[in-house]
Amino acid sequence: MKIAKRTDKGLVRANNEDYLYANSELNLFILCDGMGGHLAGETASKTAVLEISEYFKDLKIESSEEIEKAMIEAIEKANSKILKLSSENEKYSGMGTTLSLGLVYEDNLYYANIGDSRIYEMDKEGLRLLTRDDTYVNYLLDMGEISEEEAKNHPNKNVLTQALGTESKLKKKNVFVSPTKDKIFLMTSDGLTNMVTNNKIEEILKNEDLEAAADELLKEALDNGGVDNITFIIFTSRC
């Protein structure tokens, strides 16, 4: 796998509550965007990444059928660890994190998502969003209470309906699959997608030099305000 990754606290936030992991040997990719009080958000995101990466580090996957079970178990393990830390230390009370998780196995990307970090894929047909944000706005859209146009500028568009570490039982733990052939994937926190349009992201990802594309994506997000932490991973199996 070819990989480029970036994380930056942005121009407004005092610290970086995002955390990422990208391992070309395991073909494992994890991105978390933490939330909570002082240090709590970064504790939640780091805990989730470490728990999940450690789980997969010692795991021998021998078939695609094992992957969904493994991913769900890893997510549940991370969720439980964050909840435990929250209950044991008052300063971590209520902390949580988004999660984007991807594993490439036999020319397929197996992925899961919780919260509003995102996973995109791009091929010759263009850029497509693979995941759906767990947000109150999407809930309203599903209920038919607002339109797509109203959703774009809704005052509660960043309110999450699910995050890792906030409830003992997650509402959903679905694992999806996408073929990797001739595709580039982007895993990202909302610090990028709130600052850079999908059209601009697509234009930048056409650059076959992943490091140059990563530099340009980060610069674009910062130039447009950098109001949040900016973290993303670009990866591809293209030679």
Side-chain angles (χ1 to χ4, degrees), residues 34-162:
M35 56 193 180
H38 180 59
L39 298 182
E42 58 199 75
T43 299
S45 61
K46 184 176 181 178
T47 298
V49 169
L50 293 180
E51 286 293 312
I52 294 171
S53 60
E54 283 298 316
Y55 178 93
F56 279 99
K57 195 177 293 182
D58 300 320
L59 190 67
K60 300 296 182 185
I61 294 174
E62 297 180 349
S63 70
S64 58
E65 289 76 19
E66 297 175 10
I67 295 176
E68 180 174 1
K69 179 174 179 287
M71 291 180 79
I72 290 172
E73 285 183 355
I75 291 169
E76 289 177 338
K77 191 171 185 289
N79 191 59
S80 296
K81 182 61 178 287
I82 296 169
L83 283 167
K84 185 173 184 290
L85 290 175
S86 296
S87 65
E88 291 175 346
N89 193 324
E90 188 176 340
K91 70 179 181 180
Y92 296 150
S93 179
M95 71 178 177
T97 183
T98 68
L99 169 69
S100 291
L101 171 62
L103 176 69
V104 176
Y105 181 80
E106 292 186 344
D107 301 322
N108 286 303
L109 173 68
Y110 295 79
Y111 64 94
N113 208 71
I114 295 170
D116 63 354
S117 293
R118 294 177 174 179
I119 305 173
Y120 292 84
E121 66 177 10
M122 194 175 88
D123 56 19
K124 62 182 180 180
E125 302 298 325
L127 185 73
R128 289 180 299 281
L129 177 62
L130 291 177
T131 55
R132 182 169 174 80
D133 297 348
D134 293 318
T135 59
Y136 180 61
V137 163
N138 275 342
Y139 166 76
L140 293 177
L141 277 170
D142 292 342
M143 297 296 289
E145 295 187 16
I146 62 171
S147 67
E148 291 281 354
E149 194 59 37
E150 289 172 321
K152 291 177 183 177
N153 299 303
H154 196 280
N156 294 321
K157 70 177 185 177
N158 293 322
V159 175
L160 300 182
T161 54
Q162 182 169 220

Side-chain angles (χ1 to χ4, degrees), residues 3-6 207-217 234:
I3 302 167
K5 57 186 185 293
R6 299 288 186 274
N207 188 337
E208 293 186 3
D209 183 338
L210 295 194
E211 292 294 336
D215 286 340
E216 192 173 351
L217 280 175
I234 310 169

